[in-house]
Amino acid sequence: MAIKEYFTPTHVYFGEGAWEKAGEVLKAHGASKVLVHFGGGSVKRSGLLGKVEAKLDEEGIAYVELGGVVPNPRVSLVRKGIELYKSEGCDFILSVGGGSVLDSSKAIGYGVYGGGDVWDFYCGKRKVEGTAPVGCILTLSATGSEMSDSSVITNDETDPVYKRGVNTDFGRVKFSLLDPMLTATVSKYQTACGATDIMMHTLERYFHQGYALDFTDQLSFTLLKEVMKWAPVALEKPDDYDARANLMWCGSLSHNGLMAAGNPNNGDWSCHQIEHELSAEFDVAHGAGLAAIWGSWARYVLGTDRDRFVKLGEGVFGESDPVKTIEKFEAFFRSIDMPTDIKGLGLDFDEAACRKAALGVTFQDARKIGNFKVLDTEDIFNIYMMASGLK
Ligand code: NZQ
Ligand code: ZN
């Protein structure tokens, strides 16, 4: 049996008002000048940014702002962040926003520490060997980046555009301030995308080859049921604390490694790879892209290990027919207005588009993806075809 690591060094502060700790926690970490990184304006509109900066003022911590992170965050802004951090003599990065802002912050951290071209870390040319310190105030429950080892960046300076992730324990941030009520202003669409992403981080881990620790399976079923219970409540009543808090904590635990603990590997991750090609090329929201792909992937790989699907269905829905289980997940996605095919993303894929995207996923036939079922370019092409209603 392979030895599996479980490493979650992030100091989490969870509960209403957690963000108010920003000043004291940064001070405890020895920060004297902070790069405050944020997105397209939601944290300004909500007033959160000003209130956080007041907390830094109270502790005598200087700061410089860098806003403008867009969903599917771009390497061009990361480069600006690295320069700004250095020229301003910063010693800490504070991410105030969703997963995109946090991933951009992590990338700035790697670039500051490692020097050279930060994209090297994302295209696999160099390994991350350290980072400038990063902490976060999370405003959207979705990616789990607040406890994960991952950062996903889009290179908008190349043609075609590349979206690549890097996984390293240096990506586990120093602290995460998790106030569920900060997510009350998230739109219905982003709330649903977030719920889908949270579910997918557990489903991707659940489907893997080799030994499966039953306790981890049971935790996974509970997490999936909780997200399906609370996402509709958050959509109906955006400021419901229970709904926002359960979604937030599910988001963190879904992607911090817990849902693969005790198993020999980290899961399948094909749906993420197949989705990232869509969000790189067409800038779709990550969660929606996952919902559009999952059912087709599941049908395609079902024969690999039907029993795994049976256990999932029984654990989540009390359903022992695997095909009905897949349909039930899709019905849930549709109930929260997520698409369950590529058309639903507003994209009109023909055979050539499916072929191009499949080749994109395998880096022009240079790699295979997946663990539950290893997929080559032809397999991925078939899944895109199914998701486009062409097969
Ligand atoms: O930019 P602002 O104005 O802040 O608006 C954002 C953005 O438009 C808005 N938003 C965030 N918090 C809000 C809010 N609006 C109102 N009230 C609030 N409290 O929501 C929009 C989406 O934000 P974004 O950060 O892009 O969403 P998410 O957290 O879903 O992040 C998606 C990115 O993370 C990557 C995805 O691929 C995608 O690039 N992922 C990162 C992972 C990781 N690091 O572990 C794992 C995931 O699998 C995923 O790949
Ligand atoms: Zn994801």
Side-chain angles (χ1 to χ4, degrees):
M1 184 73 61
I3 304 288
K4 182 73 183 305
E5 273 183 76
Y6 177 59
F7 180 61
T8 57
T10 300
H11 196 148
V12 174
Y13 298 79
F14 189 99
E16 201 164 349
W19 66 268
E20 293 175 27
K21 291 199 163 288
E24 74 181 75
V25 173
L26 280 164
K27 190 156 199 184
H29 279 276
S32 63
K33 186 159 189 183
V34 175
L35 176 67
V36 179
H37 202 26
F38 56 94
S42 71
V43 296
K44 280 196 167 168
R45 284 192 298 279
S46 67
L48 175 66
L49 189 67
K51 289 192 269 184
V52 168
E53 290 173 349
K55 291 288 174 196
L56 271 56
D57 289 335
E58 275 173 27
E59 298 291 344
I61 298 170
Y63 55 85
V64 54
E65 289 182 354
L66 180 63
V69 179
V70 292
N72 304 316
R74 309 297 201 266
V75 73
S76 47
L77 191 68
V78 170
R79 295 192 204 287
K80 274 190 198 152
I82 294 165
E83 285 316 308
L84 190 64
Y85 185 101
K86 288 182 181 164
S87 64
E88 290 284 337
C90 295
D91 51 20
F92 214 99
I93 302 165
L94 179 65
S95 164
V96 188
S100 292
V101 178
L102 185 44
D103 284 4
S104 183
S105 301
K106 290 180 184 184
I108 292 171
Y110 304 151
V112 164
Y113 185 92
D117 182 1
V118 66
W119 187 249
D120 287 352
F121 300 123
Y122 288 82
C123 68
K125 258 196 205 159
R126 278 192 294 155
K127 267 183 98 146
V128 176
E129 279 168 359
T131 180
V134 181
C136 89
I137 299 174
L138 190 70
T139 65
L140 199 168
S141 305
T143 65
S145 187
E146 67 275 12
M147 287 184 86
S148 83
D149 64 351
S150 195
S151 158
V152 188
I153 296 294
T154 295
N155 192 336
D156 51 340
E157 295 161 349
T158 53
D159 183 17
V161 167
Y162 293 121
K163 183 173 180 176
R164 298 280 187 266
V166 58
N167 296 338
T168 162
D169 279 330
F170 294 111
R172 300 200 191 262
V173 296
K174 299 278 181 226
F175 65 82
S176 287
L177 307 183
L178 305 184
D179 178 348
M181 293 318 286
L182 293 184
T183 67
T185 52
V186 174
S187 68
K188 281 186 192 303
Y189 184 69
Q190 287 295 338
T191 297
C193 287
T196 306
D197 195 20
I198 295 169
M199 290 172 67
M200 284 300 305
H201 293 156
T202 287
L203 284 168
E204 295 267 33
R205 285 181 171 84
Y206 175 81
F207 286 106
H208 67 275
Q209 283 296 330
Y211 182 76
L213 190 76
D214 184 57
F215 177 65
T216 297
D217 282 353
Q218 300 303 331
L219 279 181
S220 303
F221 303 153
T222 300
L223 187 141
L224 291 164
K225 285 193 278 191
E226 285 292 292
V227 176
M228 289 192 282
K229 170 178 168 182
W230 290 110
V233 180
L235 291 173
E236 186 67 31
K237 202 166 168 276
D239 60 353
D240 186 291
Y241 180 83
D242 285 338
R244 293 299 185 179
N246 279 290
L247 287 176
M248 189 168 246
W249 196 224
C250 283
S252 300
L253 296 193
S254 192
H255 204 32
N256 78 345
L258 183 64
M259 296 299 152
N263 295 340
N265 58 63
N266 279 322
D268 187 78
W269 298 102
S270 288
C271 291
H272 268 70
Q273 300 299 322
I274 294 172
E275 187 295 306
H276 280 170
E277 195 57 29
L278 300 178
S279 46
E281 186 72 20
F282 306 103
D283 216 13
V284 300
H286 172 62
L290 291 170
I293 291 296
W294 187 78
S296 298
W297 171 85
R299 285 185 184 85
Y300 192 78
V301 305
L302 175 56
T304 305
D305 182 355
R306 282 182 84 86
D307 290 348
R308 202 76 187 123
F309 278 89
V310 171
K311 186 173 186 187
L312 175 70
E314 287 174 345
V316 176
F317 299 114
E319 171 62 68
S320 52
D321 179 339
V323 175
K324 286 195 180 137
T325 292
I326 296 169
E327 286 167 1
K328 284 187 175 169
F329 276 113
E330 288 183 317
F332 172 75
F333 291 146
R334 281 193 289 271
S335 77
I336 58 169
D337 285 333
M338 284 288 99
T340 48
D341 56 27
I342 286 180
K343 227 180 217 114
L345 288 170
L347 303 175
D348 191 11
F349 263 34
D350 57 12
E351 200 176 320
C354 293
R355 178 75 58 197
K356 182 170 177 245
L359 282 165
V361 175
T362 58
F363 305 165
Q364 309 306 314
D365 230 3
R367 67 162 184 167
K368 293 178 182 172
I369 61 166
N371 171 270
F372 182 68
K373 181 174 169 63
V374 175
L375 304 175
D376 62 16
T377 305
E378 203 56 27
D379 294 315
I380 299 163
F381 166 73
N382 287 330
I383 292 169
Y384 278 128
M385 289 287 280
M386 287 164 71
S388 305
L390 300 170
K391 221 172 191 161

